[in-house]
Each structure stands twice: as structure tokens, then as C-alpha cells.
Amino acid sequence: MNTKTFASAADLDVKQVSFDQLSDHAYAYTAEGDPNTGIIVGDDAVMVIDTQATPVMAEDVIRRIREVTDKPIKYVTLSHYHAVRVLGASAYKAEGCEHIIASQDTYDLIVERGEQDKASEIGRFPRLFQSVESVPDGMTWPTITFTGKMTLWLGRLEVQILQLGRGHTKGDTVVWLPQDKVLFSGDLVEFDATPYAGDAYFQDWPRTLDAIAALKPEKLVPGRGAALQNAAEVQAGLAGTRGFISDLWAEVKAGADGKKDLRKVYEAAFAKLQPKYGHWVIFNHCMPFDVTRAYDEASDHADPRIWTAERDREMWLELEG
Ligand SMILES: [Zn+2]
């Protein structure tokens, strides 16, 4: 196997941003496979779902929002704890936003591993942290936490904030507009982009996708990739994500059960999945992390171990060195 550059350290491609209206209230800020942001414009206020990685990047989201509404941005909802989703939060604070909503499980993960995750993510993918010096010291702290379900009314618009199960992380949260049938999935669903599963629960993830499908969304904003604009596209996004997670888990579980070592399991999984999924963005980046986590889950780690910048490099050397 050729030695690959660590994670996405060499990815310098500039991406094209799209800002699509999905319904009377929902918009998607997407960028060809880079992390997405969702926007909900209610009667009296705006909610942003995932902040972008830095305040400078979030300012571009705010600029787009201001092209469609002058209502105040009152709420930020975090789909999960990853740095690339949360570290832009201070830009919304500067706009007067006081409320950052997250699941209690996400809050707990920020307490437990937020600092390590921040250092790890910046090292893996520096391009995604444009103007990283604009991130204030410390963590982004949610101001409202919930467990299971909370409902927010933006005037007459019902906004459901739901934990439908674990998958991409323990704290995964989706935002659902029942009137518009639009769902914001965070990284539970990706489209033409490789699911990152380094902090995942492989055995739970397909069930959580079932729970998303049961809502019958007609439009869906994935964590990465283009907004899905009709029921058939939503189905394709759900099926693609499920296929990748299930295929990877089956391959790694079989190897771990057969007491093969991690590097052998990794090489077999890479060879098996590459023909089907290798064209998705960040495939080479995600695979070592995803296989390592699946191998852990199949052996003796019910919960994901904390990634540090140092552990990232050690793992990469072990599997790709
Ligand atoms: Zn994530």
C-alpha cells in the first residue's frame, strides 16, 4: 500500500459554497463535501444548525442569511460536539445570539474530550479551520441542554430537536420541521462523502437511520454533501450511509472475531470498500479512523476512546506507515 499523507493535511482544494432554499423556512449552506450548516427562518427568529469551524467561516454563513432575512439569529443548535461543527459559535454571539442548544450527551462529550478533539481535528484537516486564530480560547459551551426531545416554537413554526439514537457520536441530534418535512441530520447522514466513524457506535447507527427514515423527510440537509431535495434523494442518502457503515462493520467484525491484527483488518477493509466508496470525499482520510473504531467496538471498547493529536499520528503510522 502506498504511504498516504496524514489525514487531510494535504487537502488544499477550495470549495464552492451553495446556499439553497428547501422550504418556506429552511436553507442549506453546503460546500461540495465540506461541513454543512442548516438555517431555519421562523416567524420571529432564525436558528442555525452547526456553526462552521471558525468565526471567520461562520461570518460567510451570516452574510448569506442576511441576504434572505433580517430577523435575529437567536438560536444555534449543535448536531454533535466535533470542533469543525462548533468552534464558529462566537460569530453568532457577536450577532446577539444567546442560546446554544445541544443534547446533554453532547455537553458531556465537550467536558470529557472537547479540548483533545479540537487539537486533533485542527491537525487532521487544517484547511477546514480557515483563520483558526479567530477561535476564542476555551470551548463552545451549550447554554440549553436536553435529553431525548425538545420542541421550540419560532412563532407558529414548530422546530423539533431530537436524539433518535447514537451513530456518528453518542450525542447525535437532528432538527426536524414537521410542517415542512425538512430534516437536518448532522453527520448521521452524508451524501457523496465518507462517513467519519472514529467516535461512532456502529451497531446503533443503522437503527438511528431507521428512526430518521420513519419521519419520512422530503428534504434533508446532510452533514456533508449537497442538500437532498426530494424523497428519492433522501432515500439515496440514507441508503448510501447505511451501506458504508454496515459493510465496514461486517468486514472489521469478521476480522476481529478471527483474531486478526488491526493492520491486516485495515488492509482487507480498505480493499473491500474502496471500489464501492473510494470516490466519496475524505475516503482515504476517514478509513483508518473508522476501521480503528470498528475494531475497538468489535473487541473490548463499548465507548470510543479519545483521539488526541498524538494518538492520531501513532495510529496513522501503524496503519499507513
Ligand atoms: Zn462529526
Side-chain angles (χ1 to χ4, degrees), residues 233-286:
E233 288 183 11
V234 172
Q235 275 309 313
L238 290 168
T241 304
R242 177 194 304 273
F244 176 87
I245 293 302
S246 306
D247 289 354
L248 191 144
W249 171 249
E251 183 69 24
V252 173
K253 175 87 166 71
D257 288 352
K259 303 288 173 218
K260 292 195 182 126
D261 71 39
L262 176 59
R263 179 155 177 147
K264 286 242 158 15
V265 170
Y266 172 65
E267 286 170 357
F270 193 96
K272 179 88 182 263
L273 271 74
Q274 206 275 339
K276 200 165 165 188
Y277 306 108
H279 61 290
W280 285 353
V281 296
I282 63 171
F283 180 81
N284 287 352
H285 171 145
C286 289

Side-chain angles (χ1 to χ4, degrees), residues 164-195:
L164 297 175
R166 302 184 300 190
H168 177 70
T169 69
K170 178 175 79 171
D172 291 340
T173 296
V174 306
V175 179
W176 170 234
L177 300 179
Q179 294 153 355
D180 294 19
K181 302 202 179 300
V182 177
L183 187 115
F184 301 86
S185 70
D187 283 325
L188 278 169
V189 181
E190 311 291 19
F191 187 68
D192 275 346
T194 310

Side-chain angles (χ1 to χ4, degrees), residues 50 79-85 117 121 168-169 172 186-188 190 196 199 224:
D50 290 337
S79 67
H80 61 289
Y81 78 100
H82 283 149
V84 79
R85 304 276 159 193
D117 176 74
E121 286 195 53
H168 177 70
T169 69
D172 291 340
D187 283 325
L188 278 169
E190 311 291 19
Y196 172 73
D199 303 304
R224 291 171 177 269

Side-chain angles (χ1 to χ4, degrees), residues 7-144:
S8 291
D11 178 345
L12 302 172
D13 297 352
V14 175
K15 302 287 181 130
Q16 184 72 40
V17 170
S18 301
F19 190 70
D20 298 317
Q21 182 165 12
L22 303 182
S23 72
D24 288 347
H25 308 99
Y27 296 80
Y29 180 100
T30 66
E32 301 184 316
D34 276 358
N36 294 337
T37 289
I39 295 99
I40 298 170
V41 180
D43 291 334
D44 52 0
V46 175
M47 175 186 286
V48 167
I49 300 140
D50 290 337
T51 72
Q52 297 287 313
T54 66
V56 164
M57 296 171 79
E59 277 160 21
D60 189 56
V61 177
I62 293 167
R63 188 177 64 74
R64 305 280 180 146
I65 294 171
R66 288 298 166 237
E67 287 172 3
V68 298
T69 182
D70 55 8
K71 291 171 187 169
I73 302 169
K74 283 200 181 161
Y75 303 94
V76 165
T77 298
L78 305 177
S79 67
H80 61 289
Y81 78 100
H82 283 149
V84 79
R85 304 276 159 193
V86 310
L87 293 183
S90 64
Y92 303 96
K93 231 178 218 173
E95 283 282 300
C97 174
E98 290 171 7
H99 305 295
I100 300 178
I101 302 168
S103 67
Q104 183 62 43
D105 288 317
T106 288
Y107 189 97
D108 294 345
L109 285 167
I110 296 171
V111 172
E112 181 193 48
R113 56 182 71 192
E115 286 285 359
Q116 289 102 321
D117 176 74
K118 179 178 176 179
S120 155
E121 286 195 53
I122 292 169
R124 290 178 191 182
F125 211 150
R127 179 179 61 77
L128 285 189
F129 291 86
Q130 186 200 323
S131 306
V132 70
E133 68 285 351
S134 64
V135 177
D137 288 342
M139 296 286 91
T140 298
W141 291 110
T143 63
I144 300 172

